Amino acid sequence: MEAATATAELESFNPATGQRIGAVQITTPEEVQAVVDSVAAVQPFWAQLTLEDRGRYLERAGQVLLDEADDIRDLIVREQGKPRNEAFAMEVLPTVDALHWIARAGVEILADEKIPMPQAFLKTKRSAFTYEPLGVIGVISPWNYPWSIPFGEVALALMAGNGVVLKPASLTPLIGERIGKVFERAGLPEGLVRVVHGPSTGTALVESSVGKVFFTGSVETGRIVGEGCARRLKGSVLELGGKDPMVVLPDANLEHAISGALWGGFANAGQTCSGIERVYVHRDVSERFISGVVAGAQRLRVGDPMQWDTELGPMVSREQFDVVRELVDDAVAAGAKLECGGPVPAPAGLSGDFYGPTVLTEVSHDMRIMREEIFGPVVPITVVDSEEEAVAMANDSDFGLGASVWTSDRGKGERVAGELQSGMVWINDHMFSHGACQCSWGGVKESGLGRTHSKFGLYECVNIKLRVWEGSAIRNPWWHPYDETLGKALRQTATILYGRPSIRAKALRDGIGPLTRLGARLAKDALKR
C-alpha cells in the first residue's frame, strides 16, 4: 500500500480501490535535524505571544477546519478507509471542538499559578508555578486515526508555546500534510509546524534535539521510542496498544449494551486502540446479549466508505487484514465458535480487503485472540458466572488502555470501575471521551506512559518551573550563624506548629526565650540594611 519511488516520494493509495491518490516527498534521516532546527528558529517568537493570542490563532485554525471540513473528511475516507460519517464524527468534529477547548481552557491552565505559603516561617515569600515551553516537540502519529490523534497533540503543544515537527504514518501521509496546511492557513508563523515523511524519519526525530516526543503506535515501537528518549534525558508520551474489556453485568440495559458493543467493536472496522476487543457478559443475560450482538453485526453494512450508509469500510492494508484473519482462524481452530463474519468479497467496483463484522463465542481466556491486539472488526465474547470473575479476567492482560462497565447501578459501576486496571473506564459507554479534549487519554501497563488531552496533556508540553520572590527585609532564620539559640528555637517551633495539643503549651513556654532572642537578632540584622 506504500512505496518509495526513484524520485524519493512516498505514494499513498486508497485502501478501498487500490488507486494512487497522491505522493509526498520523503525526508531523509539526515535532513530531520535541520527541520527541527528550522522550527526552533521560529519557536521563540511564538513563545513570546500571550496565551490569549496563541488561543486566538487556534480558534482561527478551528474556523479553517470548519470551512474545509467536507474536503478533509473525504480525504480521510479516501486515504484511511473509514466511512464518511465516522471520518467526520470521530476525526474532524472532535478536533474543531479540541481547538476551542485548548484555546480557552489553556489560558487558565497555563497561566502562572500562585502557591499558598501557609508556614509561619515562610510568610515573607511569594511563590508560583510557571509553565514554560519545551521548545520543539516531535509528534509521531498512527494510521488508524490519522487526523484527530496528531492534530490534538499538535494543538496542545502549540498552545503551550512550542513548535512542532509531525511525522505522520506512512500509510496516511496526505492527511499529515493537510494538518500542517490548516495551521498555515490560520496564520501561525511560517515554519512553526513542519511535516516530515519516510520510513526512517521517526527514529531520526527521536534522536534529534526535540524536547519531547509524543508517539502513538505499537508496544514494540513505543518501547524503542521511550528508550531512545530516555537515553537522551528527554520525555516521551506513549499511547500504545489496547485490549479493552467490556464487562456486562446482569442489571445492564441490554439494548443499550448491545448497541455499545456493536459501535465499540466495529467502528473504524475495529482498527481502534480503545475499541472493544474482549467482552465478559454475566451468564444470567448472556443468551440475550449474544443473540442481540450477532443480529446487530449481521445488519451492519460493509461497502464503499464514500457511501453515506456504509458502516464498515476496508481494512487499511492487506497486512492488517491478514493479522485479523490469522487471529480469528487460530481461535476457531482452538474451539471458538464463529457466530458471524469473516472475510467478505470486495463490493462491486472496489478492490480492497474487507473483513465483515465478526462475533466469536465459546472463547477461552488463553486463546491468542483474547491476549493479542486484534485491531479489526472482531468481538470475542466470554460468559462469566460473577462480577468478580469478569474483573479478574479483564485485569488479566498486559494492556490497560480503556475499559467499560455496563450496569444500571451507578454505585456498582463506579466500584467496579475502581477495580479495573486501565487509564480510562466508561460506565455504560465506551471510548467516546477521546473526542472530548477536557478528558485525559492514556493507559497503564503496556498501553503506555503519560497522558494526552486535558490539563495533563498540556502539562506534558511544558517545563514546570517554580518561581519564588523574597522581599529581602530580613534574612532567613535558619541561615548562619548557627548556635544553641537557633537550635532550640527551631526545635520548639516545630513542636508548637505540628505537635499534639497536649505538648504545645509547654513547647511555647520553653521556646519563648530562644524565639525572642532569635527574633531580636533578625530585627537587628534588618535594621543594619
Side-chain angles (χ1 to χ4, degrees), residues 429-442:
D429 210 327
H430 201 95
M431 79 178 174
F432 80 93
S433 61
H434 191 268
C437 199
Q438 69 271 24
C439 298
S440 62
W441 190 266

Side-chain angles (χ1 to χ4, degrees), residues 109-165:
I109 292 169
L110 296 175
D112 290 359
E113 181 182 347
K114 291 182 179 179
I115 306 169
M117 304 292 277
Q119 299 92 336
F121 45 88
L122 301 180
K123 288 298 184 183
T124 63
K125 306 181 191 305
R126 300 294 178 266
S127 300
F129 295 128
T130 64
Y131 303 101
E132 298 181 343
L134 297 174
V136 181
I137 287 179
V139 175
I140 303 174
S141 65
W143 52 259
N144 62 326
Y145 287 88
W147 182 270
S148 62
I149 289 177
F151 200 106
E153 294 171 355
V154 171
L156 289 167
L158 290 172
M159 187 63 196
N162 301 286
V164 180
V165 178

Side-chain angles (χ1 to χ4, degrees), residues 19 60 159 191 311 324 378 432 502:
Q19 295 176 340
R60 194 180 301 171
M159 187 63 196
E311 289 155 335
V324 175
V378 182
F432 80 93
S502 61

